[in-house]
């Protein structure tokens, strides 16, 4: 319309453009085989790469990394160890909820807890081994964005060394590339390899300019 016109109705039609990222790693070498940083064709240099730059809440993907892997690796638990999936509260008094809405599953093995992605079983397991141990394992898994302790300008203290760490409740989130590399370490028999984007760069005569070994 023109300036001064009266608008009696307005219809705005927007097509949502959800974003995504993807990383594929060869677990026994650490070589990044494929990396997608967002939708569509990349038309600019130094644009946002969501696979390597964006931080997101990892959610249930952290159950294995923060709780079960350290519990199994240290011998504190086995896949046959049992946790009671019943009403449970964090140390701050907040109730731990499961993803399903009705009742509880009772006595469950760790194996079943992993299979069914049970929240309470994961939180109880991390509580048993201590959130600090789970946090230490995550650092060894290569995560660089976790917060051990940070005091804000207003004096509030933030920390990821908490029971909710088992469910991926972290302060700043994690990067796709680092989450992928952590699971690649499990697939690689427990040996972590930092992701490698290139092996070497040659000039036009075949002379090695850069090596990434």
């Amino acid at each position: 319309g023109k300036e001064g016109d009266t608008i009696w109705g307005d219809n705005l039609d927007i097509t949502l453009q959800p974003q995504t990222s993807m990383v594929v790693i060869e677990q026994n070498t650490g070589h990044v085989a494929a990396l997608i940083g967002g939708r569509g064709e990349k038309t600019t240099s130094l644009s946002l790469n969501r696979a390597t730059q964006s931080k997101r809440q990892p959610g249930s993907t952290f159950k294995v990394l923060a709780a079960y892997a350290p519990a199994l690796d240290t011998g504190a638990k086995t896949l046959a160890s049992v946790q009671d999936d019943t009403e449970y509260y964090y140390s701050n008094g907040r109730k731990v909820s499961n993803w399903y809405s009705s009742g509880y599953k009772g006595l469950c093995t760790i194996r079943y807890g992993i299979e069914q992605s049970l929240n309470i079983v994961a939180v109880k397991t991390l509580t048993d081994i201590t959130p600090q141990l789970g946090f230490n394992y995550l650092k060894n898994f290569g995560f660089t964005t976790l917060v051990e302790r940070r005091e804000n300008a207003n004096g509030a203290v933030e920390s990821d060394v908490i029971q909710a760490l088992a469910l991926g409740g972290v302060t700043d989130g994690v990067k796709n590339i680092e989450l992928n590399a952590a699971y690649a370490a499990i697939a690689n028999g427990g040996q972590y390899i930092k992701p490698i984007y290139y092996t070497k760069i040659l000039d036009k005569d075949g002379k090695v300019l850069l090596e990434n070994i």
Side-chain angles (χ1 to χ4, degrees):
K2 298 178 181 178
E3 186 176 348
D5 286 353
T6 300
I7 299 175
W8 295 101
D10 196 10
N11 183 26
L12 185 63
D13 186 13
I14 297 175
T15 301
L16 293 176
Q17 298 291 323
Q19 285 290 349
T20 188
S21 69
M22 185 183 76
V23 178
V24 178
I25 288 179
E26 195 175 71
Q27 74 268 15
N28 59 340
T29 64
H31 293 179
V32 176
L35 188 145
I36 298 174
R39 289 170 56 103
E41 182 182 356
K42 185 179 185 295
T43 57
T44 59
S45 296
L46 302 178
S47 56
L48 176 64
N49 187 327
R50 291 168 182 83
T52 60
Q53 294 173 280
S54 297
K55 292 176 283 187
R56 295 290 182 266
Q57 296 299 315
S60 290
T61 62
F62 251 32
K63 290 173 181 173
V64 167
L65 301 173
Y68 297 128
L72 296 171
D73 187 53
T74 58
K77 305 286 182 184
T78 72
L79 289 173
S81 297
V82 172
Q83 295 281 19
D84 193 0
D85 181 47
T86 188
E87 188 172 290
Y88 189 67
Y89 294 83
Y90 293 111
S91 59
N92 63 7
R94 186 164 59 91
K95 189 175 183 179
V96 181
S97 299
N98 263 322
W99 56 263
Y100 52 88
S101 58
S102 60
Y104 299 94
K105 296 187 181 294
L107 297 177
C108 301
T109 63
I110 296 295
R111 185 189 299 276
Y112 186 74
I114 295 172
E115 175 195 321
Q116 296 294 312
S117 191
L118 301 179
N119 292 357
I120 291 172
V121 172
V123 173
K124 282 187 171 183
T125 299
L126 180 62
T127 302
D128 288 345
I129 64 171
T130 76
Q132 183 66 60
L133 181 63
F135 183 89
N136 293 346
Y137 264 76
L138 290 171
K139 297 291 284 186
N140 288 335
F141 271 128
F143 290 101
T144 62
T145 59
L146 299 177
V147 177
E148 186 154 15
R149 188 183 188 279
R150 182 170 66 201
E151 186 171 345
N152 294 331
N154 62 5
V157 175
E158 296 174 323
S159 175
D160 293 333
V161 188
I162 54 175
Q163 292 167 290
L165 183 64
L167 307 183
V170 296
T171 306
D172 294 336
V174 301
K175 299 174 183 178
N176 185 333
I177 184 74
E178 294 183 349
L179 184 62
N180 191 297
Y183 272 96
I186 293 176
N188 193 38
Q191 182 180 357
Y192 173 82
I193 303 176
K194 187 175 181 179
I196 299 171
Y197 298 103
Y198 68 92
T199 53
K200 59 185 175 181
I201 299 175
L202 311 177
D203 67 9
K204 62 183 178 62
D205 299 317
K207 180 182 177 182
V208 177
L209 299 177
L210 286 173
E211 263 191 299
N212 188 22
I213 298 175

